[in-house]
PDB file of all heavy atoms in Angstrom:
ATOM      1  N   ARG C  45      74.792  92.355 112.878  1.00 97.00           N
ATOM      2  CA  ARG C  45      73.430  93.001 112.830  1.00 97.00           C
ATOM      3  C   ARG C  45      72.644  92.049 113.752  1.00 97.00           C
ATOM      4  O   ARG C  45      72.539  90.897 113.619  1.00 97.00           O
ATOM      5  CB  ARG C  45      72.880  92.979 111.395  1.00 97.00           C
ATOM      6  CG  ARG C  45      71.334  93.163 111.416  1.00 97.00           C
ATOM      7  CD  ARG C  45      71.004  94.595 111.789  1.00 97.00           C
ATOM      8  NE  ARG C  45      69.551  94.967 111.642  1.00 97.00           N
ATOM      9  CZ  ARG C  45      68.979  95.994 111.907  1.00 97.00           C
ATOM     10  NH1 ARG C  45      69.563  97.084 112.325  1.00 97.00           N
ATOM     11  NH2 ARG C  45      67.692  96.240 111.907  1.00 97.00           N
ATOM     12  N   VAL C  46      71.974  92.779 114.797  1.00 97.00           N
ATOM     13  CA  VAL C  46      70.974  92.129 115.593  1.00 97.00           C
ATOM     14  C   VAL C  46      69.586  92.551 115.337  1.00 97.00           C
ATOM     15  O   VAL C  46      69.262  93.756 115.128  1.00 97.00           O
ATOM     16  CB  VAL C  46      71.364  92.415 117.114  1.00 97.00           C
ATOM     17  CG1 VAL C  46      70.261  91.723 118.027  1.00 97.00           C
ATOM     18  CG2 VAL C  46      72.697  92.001 117.477  1.00 97.00           C
ATOM     19  N   SER C  47      68.685  91.560 114.980  1.00 97.00           N
ATOM     20  CA  SER C  47      67.400  91.885 114.509  1.00 97.00           C
ATOM     21  C   SER C  47      66.614  92.667 115.528  1.00 97.00           C
ATOM     22  O   SER C  47      66.838  92.503 116.804  1.00 97.00           O
ATOM     23  CB  SER C  47      66.700  90.663 114.073  1.00 97.00           C
ATOM     24  OG  SER C  47      67.477  89.989 113.019  1.00 97.00           O
ATOM     25  N   ALA C  48      65.521  93.293 115.069  1.00 98.00           N
ATOM     26  CA  ALA C  48      64.610  93.986 116.032  1.00 98.00           C
ATOM     27  C   ALA C  48      64.071  92.932 117.017  1.00 98.00           C
ATOM     28  O   ALA C  48      63.732  91.750 116.740  1.00 98.00           O
ATOM     29  CB  ALA C  48      63.398  94.580 115.167  1.00 98.00           C
ATOM     30  N   GLU C  49      63.903  93.394 118.277  1.00 97.00           N
ATOM     31  CA  GLU C  49      63.374  92.666 119.286  1.00 97.00           C
ATOM     32  C   GLU C  49      64.275  91.476 119.899  1.00 97.00           C
ATOM     33  O   GLU C  49      63.938  90.680 120.751  1.00 97.00           O
ATOM     34  CB  GLU C  49      61.996  92.098 119.186  1.00 97.00           C
ATOM     35  CG  GLU C  49      60.991  93.254 118.695  1.00 97.00           C
ATOM     36  CD  GLU C  49      60.714  94.294 119.732  1.00 97.00           C
ATOM     37  OE1 GLU C  49      60.883  93.983 120.978  1.00 97.00           O
ATOM     38  OE2 GLU C  49      60.396  95.378 119.307  1.00 97.00           O
ATOM     39  N   GLU C  50      65.339  91.223 119.202  1.00 97.00           N
ATOM     40  CA  GLU C  50      66.194  90.020 119.637  1.00 97.00           C
ATOM     41  C   GLU C  50      67.002  90.394 120.885  1.00 97.00           C
ATOM     42  O   GLU C  50      67.332  91.627 120.949  1.00 97.00           O
ATOM     43  CB  GLU C  50      67.200  89.700 118.442  1.00 97.00           C
ATOM     44  CG  GLU C  50      67.972  88.473 118.702  1.00 97.00           C
ATOM     45  CD  GLU C  50      68.872  88.066 117.453  1.00 97.00           C
ATOM     46  OE1 GLU C  50      68.766  88.881 116.440  1.00 97.00           O
ATOM     47  OE2 GLU C  50      69.635  87.107 117.613  1.00 97.00           O
ATOM     48  N   GLN C  51      67.273  89.421 121.633  1.00 97.00           N
ATOM     49  CA  GLN C  51      68.053  89.585 122.867  1.00 97.00           C
ATOM     50  C   GLN C  51      69.315  88.744 122.854  1.00 97.00           C
ATOM     51  O   GLN C  51      69.175  87.633 122.472  1.00 97.00           O
ATOM     52  CB  GLN C  51      67.212  89.064 124.168  1.00 97.00           C
ATOM     53  CG  GLN C  51      65.932  89.808 124.270  1.00 97.00           C
ATOM     54  CD  GLN C  51      65.137  89.341 125.509  1.00 97.00           C
ATOM     55  OE1 GLN C  51      65.491  88.381 126.154  1.00 97.00           O
ATOM     56  NE2 GLN C  51      64.175  90.130 125.928  1.00 97.00           N
ATOM     57  N   ASP C  63      75.248  96.861 114.755  1.00 98.00           N
ATOM     58  CA  ASP C  63      73.926  97.504 114.433  1.00 98.00           C
ATOM     59  C   ASP C  63      72.793  96.659 115.095  1.00 98.00           C
ATOM     60  O   ASP C  63      72.654  95.444 114.883  1.00 98.00           O
ATOM     61  CB  ASP C  63      73.675  97.452 112.874  1.00 98.00           C
ATOM     62  CG  ASP C  63      72.452  98.292 112.575  1.00 98.00           C
ATOM     63  OD1 ASP C  63      71.753  98.853 113.481  1.00 98.00           O
ATOM     64  OD2 ASP C  63      72.117  98.393 111.357  1.00 98.00           O
ATOM     65  N   LEU C  64      72.028  97.345 116.012  1.00 98.00           N
ATOM     66  CA  LEU C  64      70.952  96.694 116.665  1.00 98.00           C
ATOM     67  C   LEU C  64      69.701  97.346 116.242  1.00 98.00           C
ATOM     68  O   LEU C  64      69.533  98.463 116.213  1.00 98.00           O
ATOM     69  CB  LEU C  64      71.129  96.964 118.227  1.00 98.00           C
ATOM     70  CG  LEU C  64      71.904  95.820 119.029  1.00 98.00           C
ATOM     71  CD1 LEU C  64      73.348  95.859 118.659  1.00 98.00           C
ATOM     72  CD2 LEU C  64      71.933  96.165 120.521  1.00 98.00           C
ATOM     73  N   GLY C  65      68.705  96.407 115.824  1.00 98.00           N
ATOM     74  CA  GLY C  65      67.453  96.801 115.392  1.00 98.00           C
ATOM     75  C   GLY C  65      66.522  97.220 116.508  1.00 98.00           C
ATOM     76  O   GLY C  65      66.758  97.051 117.648  1.00 98.00           O
ATOM     77  N   SER C  66      65.498  97.893 116.187  1.00 98.00           N
ATOM     78  CA  SER C  66      64.432  98.484 117.213  1.00 98.00           C
ATOM     79  C   SER C  66      64.067  97.466 118.237  1.00 98.00           C
ATOM     80  O   SER C  66      63.742  96.248 117.790  1.00 98.00           O
ATOM     81  CB  SER C  66      63.384  99.231 116.431  1.00 98.00           C
ATOM     82  OG  SER C  66      62.581  98.242 115.746  1.00 98.00           O
ATOM     83  N   GLY C  67      64.139  97.876 119.407  1.00 98.00           N
ATOM     84  CA  GLY C  67      63.718  97.001 120.576  1.00 98.00           C
ATOM     85  C   GLY C  67      64.616  95.916 120.935  1.00 98.00           C
ATOM     86  O   GLY C  67      64.277  95.038 121.919  1.00 98.00           O
ATOM     87  N   ALA C  68      65.713  95.732 120.343  1.00 98.00           N
ATOM     88  CA  ALA C  68      66.719  94.739 120.707  1.00 98.00           C
ATOM     89  C   ALA C  68      67.428  95.009 122.018  1.00 98.00           C
ATOM     90  O   ALA C  68      67.336  96.183 122.470  1.00 98.00           O
ATOM     91  CB  ALA C  68      67.698  94.505 119.502  1.00 98.00           C
ATOM     92  N   SER C  69      68.013  94.052 122.595  1.00 98.00           N
ATOM     93  CA  SER C  69      68.874  94.274 123.838  1.00 98.00           C
ATOM     94  C   SER C  69      70.074  93.402 123.764  1.00 98.00           C
ATOM     95  O   SER C  69      70.201  92.316 123.167  1.00 98.00           O
ATOM     96  CB  SER C  69      67.983  93.919 125.109  1.00 98.00           C
ATOM     97  OG  SER C  69      67.785  92.555 125.150  1.00 98.00           O
ATOM     98  N   ASP C  83      69.147 101.428 117.203  1.00 98.00           N
ATOM     99  CA  ASP C  83      67.762 101.844 116.774  1.00 98.00           C
ATOM    100  C   ASP C  83      66.970 102.215 117.991  1.00 98.00           C
ATOM    101  O   ASP C  83      67.299 101.981 119.153  1.00 98.00           O
ATOM    102  CB  ASP C  83      67.063 100.860 115.797  1.00 98.00           C
ATOM    103  CG  ASP C  83      67.674 100.803 114.382  1.00 98.00           C
ATOM    104  OD1 ASP C  83      68.533 101.701 114.127  1.00 98.00           O
ATOM    105  OD2 ASP C  83      67.429  99.869 113.719  1.00 98.00           O
ATOM    106  N   GLU C  84      65.702 102.750 117.659  1.00 98.00           N
ATOM    107  CA  GLU C  84      64.919 103.136 118.758  1.00 98.00           C
ATOM    108  C   GLU C  84      64.563 102.027 119.765  1.00 98.00           C
ATOM    109  O   GLU C  84      64.505 100.822 119.312  1.00 98.00           O
ATOM    110  CB  GLU C  84      63.617 103.828 118.333  1.00 98.00           C
ATOM    111  CG  GLU C  84      62.751 102.845 117.592  1.00 98.00           C
ATOM    112  CD  GLU C  84      63.020 102.662 116.107  1.00 98.00           C
ATOM    113  OE1 GLU C  84      63.958 103.346 115.636  1.00 98.00           O
ATOM    114  OE2 GLU C  84      62.304 102.008 115.399  1.00 98.00           O
ATOM    115  N   ARG C  85      64.500 102.349 121.020  1.00 98.00           N
ATOM    116  CA  ARG C  85      64.044 101.438 122.180  1.00 98.00           C
ATOM    117  C   ARG C  85      65.020 100.275 122.245  1.00 98.00           C
ATOM    118  O   ARG C  85      64.722  99.310 122.973  1.00 98.00           O
ATOM    119  CB  ARG C  85      62.612 100.822 121.882  1.00 98.00           C
ATOM    120  CG  ARG C  85      61.614 101.936 121.899  1.00 98.00           C
ATOM    121  CD  ARG C  85      60.174 101.266 121.695  1.00 98.00           C
ATOM    122  NE  ARG C  85      60.023 100.747 120.328  1.00 98.00           N
ATOM    123  CZ  ARG C  85      60.083  99.414 119.893  1.00 98.00           C
ATOM    124  NH1 ARG C  85      60.281  98.504 120.841  1.00 98.00           N
ATOM    125  NH2 ARG C  85      60.010  99.131 118.577  1.00 98.00           N
ATOM    126  N   VAL C  86      66.269 100.366 121.804  1.00 98.00           N
ATOM    127  CA  VAL C  86      67.271  99.373 122.181  1.00 98.00           C
ATOM    128  C   VAL C  86      67.683  99.531 123.666  1.00 98.00           C
ATOM    129  O   VAL C  86      67.663 100.610 124.159  1.00 98.00           O
ATOM    130  CB  VAL C  86      68.511  99.565 121.178  1.00 98.00           C
ATOM    131  CG1 VAL C  86      69.728  98.821 121.734  1.00 98.00           C
ATOM    132  CG2 VAL C  86      68.175  99.000 119.725  1.00 98.00           C
TER     133      VAL C  86
END
Side-chain angles (χ1 to χ4, degrees):
R45 168 69 179 178
V46 176
S47 301
E49 307 297 336
E50 186 177 359
Q51 299 180 352
D63 185 0
L64 271 63
S66 60
S69 65
D83 289 350
E84 65 274 5
R85 297 181 291 103
V86 162

